[in-house]
Amino acid sequence: MSKNLISIQDFSKDEILEILKMAAEFEENTCQPIFKDKVIASIFFEPSTRTRLSFETAANRLGARVIGFTDSINTSVAKGETLKDTIKMISNYADLIVMRHPLEGSARYASEISKVPVINAGDGANQHPTQTLLDLYSVYKTQGTLENLSISVVGDLKYGRTVHSLLQAMSHFNPVFLLTSPAELALPREYKEYLINKGIRFMETTNLTDVIPNSDIIYMTRVQRERFTDPIEYERVKNIYSLNASMIKGSKPNMKILHPLPRVNEIAIDVDESSHAYYFEQAHNGIYVRMAIITKLLKSL
Ligand code: CP
């Protein structure tokens, strides 16, 4: 059976560490055309800049060819074709499918239909496992370890799929989580129960200023406007946190600010020049991590 990457829980701790090791090797040697005979389908039913383009860059650097679409309006989905039939067709054409879709569970469903491995590039508010692997790679590069870190996760913990995957992956490494959000955007109960069952320490707060001095990592997130059913609720919380340069003056020397991006107002541009800012390097790391993920899944065939 081919391997998929739908949830970060599809990879064991050892497999996560294997991906990080492979990513470091690809970063050393970025051009390794080992999949010249492979075709990768990049199918995005939702907007993306980093995930799509870094996957396509990764595929190109591995010598694979890329097919796909960035908007289903130009596909037969617009004529009423189901996701099931769409995936059935694409898995006849490609050796690997990278899919982003607004519906939670859509990537798992696609993997049950596809003849070839499926990578979840984000399914609604559920999971974004490849983002998490590049987040872990970024944490490791900046801290020299993944173990015993204090990680503040800030913003939209309810709808932020990168948050959900990150909490599960970091739980292998004995973290302390400082969960910082307004009550409306608190971490859903199922993820809190996951942390409790794993014995992971966490605290919840609404106060960003309080968590900064104790953090090794501050993981900022955007309030996910596209997931709100009530626009008034979005307006109430959209600018709830905005990290600026004066707020991080007392932080630990090793502290790094991550953000899956895109940002809106949650990190002021005066932070960009700080030695604590790492979010653009983090996005760059996505190429090497996605080269590693593609390699692992294509070699599982
Ligand atoms: N981090 C992330 O998923 O960015 P994009 O939406 O631009 O792919």
Side-chain angles (χ1 to χ4, degrees), residues 44 47-52 100 121 128 131 161-162 260-262:
F44 279 68
S48 168
T49 298
R50 279 146 291 274
T51 309
R52 184 175 71 80
R100 172 171 289 185
H128 194 347
Q131 175 69 44
R161 59 193 173 198
T162 67
L261 303 178

Side-chain angles (χ1 to χ4, degrees), residues 6 11 30 34 45 66-67 99 105 112 144 152 180 184 207 211 219 231 239-240 249 283:
I6 306 302
F11 277 6
T30 55
I34 51 179
F45 296 81
V66 178
I67 60 168
M99 183 176 98
E112 286 161 7
S152 294
T180 309
E184 300 94 314
N207 192 322
V211 300
Y219 191 91
N239 293 322
I240 191 91
K249 280 197 177 119

Side-chain angles (χ1 to χ4, degrees), residues 125-126 151-167 177-192 195 202-206 219-224 227-228 237 240-241 260:
N126 186 32
I151 302 178
S152 294
V153 188
V154 182
D156 188 346
L157 313 190
K158 180 178 181 185
Y159 297 117
R161 59 193 173 198
T162 67
V163 169
H164 303 155
S165 303
L166 179 71
L167 295 177
F177 290 121
L178 311 168
L179 303 175
T180 309
S181 74
E184 300 94 314
L185 299 179
L187 189 69
R189 196 180 56 181
E190 73 204 79
Y191 291 101
K192 277 188 229 168
L195 298 178
F202 69 92
M203 58 154 277
E204 293 182 280
T205 178
T206 57
Y219 191 91
M220 298 297 295
T221 64
R222 175 178 66 91
V223 177
Q224 306 275 302
R227 312 278 174 231
F228 281 74
V237 293
I240 191 91
Y241 301 117

Side-chain angles (χ1 to χ4, degrees), residues 116 227 275:
V116 300
R227 312 278 174 231
S275 62

Side-chain angles (χ1 to χ4, degrees), residues 55-276:
F55 256 120
E56 294 185 8
T57 303
N60 278 295
R61 289 200 187 282
L62 291 166
R65 276 157 292 180
V66 178
I67 60 168
F69 54 83
T70 57
D71 188 341
S72 62
I73 199 80
N74 296 317
T75 73
S76 288
V77 172
K79 301 176 203 161
E81 187 163 51
T82 61
L83 181 61
K84 182 176 183 181
D85 288 358
T86 302
I87 296 298
K88 228 179 185 29
M89 287 300 104
I90 294 169
S91 76
N92 286 330
Y93 306 145
D95 300 290
L96 176 71
I97 297 173
V98 178
M99 183 176 98
R100 172 171 289 185
H101 196 284
L103 282 183
E104 293 181 30
S106 54
R108 181 71 67 199
Y109 179 65
S111 74
E112 286 161 7
I113 291 152
S114 175
K115 291 186 288 195
V116 300
V118 174
I119 296 175
N120 179 8
D123 62 329
N126 186 32
Q127 285 264 326
H128 194 347
T130 71
Q131 175 69 44
T132 294
L133 290 165
L134 78 88
D135 293 342
L136 264 62
Y137 187 61
S138 302
V139 171
Y140 186 78
K141 275 179 72 175
T142 60
Q143 306 297 317
T145 181
L146 293 172
E147 300 283 349
N148 307 318
L149 297 171
S150 291
I151 302 178
S152 294
V153 188
V154 182
D156 188 346
L157 313 190
K158 180 178 181 185
Y159 297 117
R161 59 193 173 198
T162 67
V163 169
H164 303 155
S165 303
L166 179 71
L167 295 177
Q168 291 181 332
M170 281 306 301
S171 292
H172 291 298
F173 305 101
N174 192 36
V176 177
F177 290 121
L178 311 168
L179 303 175
T180 309
S181 74
E184 300 94 314
L185 299 179
L187 189 69
R189 196 180 56 181
E190 73 204 79
Y191 291 101
K192 277 188 229 168
E193 282 173 359
Y194 179 93
L195 298 178
I196 291 164
N197 289 336
K198 294 268 172 198
I200 303 299
R201 290 163 295 163
F202 69 92
M203 58 154 277
E204 293 182 280
T205 178
T206 57
N207 192 322
L208 173 57
T209 315
D210 282 356
V211 300
I212 292 171
N214 295 320
S215 300
D216 298 305
I217 296 289
I218 299 179
Y219 191 91
M220 298 297 295
T221 64
R222 175 178 66 91
V223 177
Q224 306 275 302
R225 176 171 50 88
E226 62 276 30
R227 312 278 174 231
F228 281 74
T229 48
D230 178 356
I232 296 167
E233 192 185 340
Y234 170 70
E235 287 301 317
R236 202 168 47 238
V237 293
K238 68 177 183 184
N239 293 322
I240 191 91
Y241 301 117
S242 184
L243 192 65
N244 63 49
S246 68
M247 292 166 73
I248 55 175
K249 280 197 177 119
S251 55
K252 291 171 146 183
N254 64 305
M255 188 277 282
K256 293 292 177 198
I257 301 161
L258 303 186
H259 190 312
L261 303 178
R263 70 172 151 181
V264 185
N265 295 319
E266 56 281 354
I267 303 178
I269 54 170
D270 66 1
V271 178
D272 294 359
E273 302 309 316
S274 157
S275 62
H276 296 291

